[in-house]
Amino acid sequence: MPSVVYGIEPDLDAAEFRRVLVESGLAPRRPADDLPRLDRMLRQADLVVTARRDGELVGVARTLTDFVFCAYLSDLAVCRSAQGLKVGQGLIAATRAAVGPQASLLLTAAPDAITFYDHIGMPRVADAFRYDRET
């Protein structure tokens, strides 16, 4: 089985990011048809961690963080072809390592991904609040 290589790619191409969003099933919850907006999302993120299998991008974790107190893992997308290979766990581990031990890591789970986070033992947060986007 090909190994997965994790890296930090601040210059990730928006079209590659879009492909992973589509192949992961996350595209309906993201502005996948707006490449300029996806590009801005990548450029303005503080951390973009990727997973590549034989050089092909199979996963992306996009995080907003100050690297010393908090980190919001805004996007965790893994292509369906790589799901079940612990790529999501690897992306989370690489993100945690990159933001450092002083920063807490927070994310909002897509409804169909809740069992994944429970399965990997990520603690739930009971007292969270959110305003939805207008567009």
Side-chain angles (χ1 to χ4, degrees):
M1 178 176 304
S3 64
V4 176
V5 176
Y6 299 92
I8 296 173
E9 294 189 43
D11 297 322
L12 183 66
D13 180 68
E16 261 195 306
F17 179 44
R18 180 188 185 283
R19 183 185 56 75
V20 172
L21 291 174
V22 170
E23 292 182 16
S24 70
L26 196 56
R29 300 176 56 83
R30 299 296 183 271
D33 292 330
D34 187 345
L35 276 177
R37 188 171 179 190
L38 289 179
D39 187 64
R40 286 192 315 272
M41 288 168 60
L42 290 167
R43 297 309 138 241
Q44 294 178 18
D46 300 300
L47 178 65
V48 177
V49 175
T50 58
R52 292 187 179 272
R53 195 166 142 202
D54 284 339
E56 179 186 353
L57 185 68
V58 294
V60 177
R62 190 180 71 86
T63 304
L64 310 174
T65 183
D66 56 21
F67 293 98
V68 294
F69 185 73
C70 63
Y72 173 60
L73 179 50
S74 180
D75 299 303
L76 180 67
V78 176
C79 294
R80 286 187 178 101
S81 64
Q83 291 176 3
L85 302 178
K86 301 189 182 222
V87 173
Q89 286 178 262
L91 286 165
I92 291 172
T95 298
R96 290 182 73 194
V99 299
Q102 292 182 319
S104 63
L105 184 65
L106 166 70
L107 63 83
T108 302
D112 57 345
I114 291 171
T115 56
F116 166 75
Y117 298 109
D118 283 336
H119 174 75
I120 66 170
M122 190 169 185
R124 288 184 181 230
V125 176
D127 301 323
F129 301 90
R130 179 177 98 180
Y131 287 112
D132 284 333
R133 288 177 297 280
E134 293 182 18
T135 61

